[in-house]
Amino acid sequence: MARVLFLGGLGRSGTTLVERLLGELPGVCALGEVVHLWQRDLRDDERCGCGSRFSACVFWRRVGALAFGGWHNVDVDRVRHLRAVVERTRHIPRLATAVEAPDEVHEYADYYTRVYAAAAEVSGARMVVDSSKHSALAHVLRWSAGLDLRVVHVVRDARGVAYSWTKTVDRPETDGAEQMTRYSPGRAALLWNAHNAAFGLLARRGVAVRRIRYEEFLIDPRAAVARLADFAGVAVTPADLDFLHPGHADLTTGHSAAGNPMRFTVGRLPLRRDDAWVSALPRGQRRLVGAVCAPMLRAYGYPLIPAQAQEA
Ligand SMILES: [Zn+2]
């Protein structure tokens, strides 16, 4: 049975950082955001985290061969159709309460399960990490019988998340042709509520969900990574964590299929909390996001007054 650690949460919450650190552990293989593999890699042949085009990456070629007898056997239009039909945030209540899921849900989940199992075998890893983030996908994967699914729900202060969504960020894998999606703070606030609530719902459905706060994770990354490894059932020794130093991590090359530009970082990665929003997010927007997200900010232990948020 394939064991996958699914990193969930709204984008810009620090999931890529968490994934990169977990990917350095022995017995763990980090795959990036597999949700985008079908379009960005199979169709558009974007770059793997190792720098190669997807079609030229030996790791992914072997995964495709093992999972599907070669990627050419995957009907990308079919996967995209399934994604459009089943992987929708508005379907989460139905996916969460259904006694049996429609065939399309099983079919869609099976594509991921095959990728995870093949990646584990090719890499020799005991556990693979998928940082797809999307709550609807996590609810779909719950229905896969061949999967040992564990979910890490990464939460970050909604105001920091909203500020990050306003920024212009290039997508290096498109060689400057495209930028990452942007959302207004009001839109980001609504998405923050919806996605975080969806992971709470997943936990209530009996899925193993561990919630972590981005800000807390960065206070002591060594201890935080060790706790996540324990949650994932991966044994680590203190020496396995020696890539983590005070203030930075030393990263090796990974084979992330898609995701935040940090997936290309090799070598020194600063481990510093990004609190730019405290001074850079305009007061009106800060208050708007704080008001829209107040109940869940409180539930997660975030102070509503920004001055205190800096200390959180
Ligand atoms: Zn690669």
Side-chain angles (χ1 to χ4, degrees):
M1 185 178 274
R3 183 183 298 174
V4 62
L5 193 72
F6 185 94
L7 297 181
L10 182 58
R12 314 295 173 88
S13 296
T15 45
T16 307
L17 173 74
V18 175
E19 176 184 33
R20 290 304 311 269
L21 301 188
L22 289 174
E24 291 298 322
L25 298 175
V28 175
C29 178
L31 302 177
E33 299 179 17
V34 181
V35 69
H36 296 302
L37 179 145
W38 321 105
Q39 169 76 41
R40 295 185 189 170
D41 294 321
L42 289 188
R43 174 140 300 175
D44 299 340
D45 203 21
E46 290 191 0
R47 290 186 196 284
C48 173
C50 70
S52 297
R53 291 277 169 204
F54 181 80
S55 60
C57 171
V58 175
F59 170 77
W60 282 110
R61 284 167 84 140
R62 292 176 63 196
V63 170
L66 198 58
F68 304 103
W71 291 114
H72 61 275
N73 287 320
V74 175
D75 181 350
V76 177
D77 288 332
R78 177 67 186 161
V79 182
R80 280 158 44 94
H81 166 76
L82 289 168
R83 187 177 172 201
V85 172
V86 302
E87 198 212 300
R88 292 279 173 190
T89 307
R90 67 170 182 272
H91 291 163
I92 287 174
R94 208 161 63 204
L95 282 168
T97 53
V99 176
E100 182 45 81
D103 290 346
E104 283 95 345
V105 169
H106 290 284
E107 186 186 348
Y108 186 58
D110 185 57
Y111 280 98
Y112 288 84
T113 304
R114 283 169 184 253
V115 169
Y116 301 148
E121 191 163 335
V122 168
S123 65
R126 293 196 55 218
M127 182 192 75
V128 298
V129 180
D130 178 355
S131 61
S132 289
K133 299 176 297 202
H134 297 189
S135 47
L137 178 56
H139 278 270
V140 167
L141 293 175
R142 176 170 86 89
W143 293 96
S144 176
L147 208 54
D148 174 353
L149 172 67
R150 302 175 191 203
V151 175
V152 175
H153 174 200
V154 186
V155 176
R156 181 184 174 194
D157 191 310
R159 294 156 292 191
V161 174
Y163 174 65
S164 185
W165 278 109
T166 65
K167 290 196 288 189
T168 305
V169 182
D170 281 330
R171 292 186 57 221
E173 51 273 74
T174 65
D175 298 323
E178 280 181 38
Q179 291 168 336
M180 293 177 77
T181 309
R182 294 169 67 189
Y183 291 130
S184 70
R187 174 102 181 109
L190 293 173
L191 290 171
W192 188 89
N193 278 343
H195 283 274
N196 286 313
F199 284 102
L201 192 56
L202 191 66
R204 290 199 290 280
R205 292 282 80 82
V207 175
V209 178
R210 172 71 54 90
R211 190 172 71 222
I212 62 168
R213 298 199 309 179
Y214 158 81
E215 296 84 353
E216 220 162 37
F217 182 86
L218 281 174
I219 290 173
D220 187 352
R222 227 181 134 93
V225 168
R227 280 195 297 271
L228 287 183
D230 184 55
F231 169 67
V234 173
V236 292
T237 65
D240 294 333
L241 299 169
D242 282 351
F243 70 96
L244 288 164
H245 308 277
H248 78 278
D250 278 321
L251 299 181
T252 54
T253 305
H255 292 288
S256 155
N260 179 292
M262 190 194 287
R263 71 197 182 91
F264 294 109
T265 302
V266 176
R268 194 184 179 98
L269 176 78
L271 298 176
R272 207 176 30 235
R273 214 166 78 184
D274 176 2
D275 282 335
W277 68 271
V278 175
S279 54
L281 185 66
R283 178 190 289 261
Q285 297 182 348
R286 207 166 63 201
R287 290 171 75 164
L288 169 73
V289 176
V292 171
C293 302
M296 287 172 70
L297 279 170
R298 254 190 232 107
Y300 294 148
Y302 287 105
L304 294 181
I305 310 296
Q308 294 166 353
Q310 221 160 0
E311 315 302 322

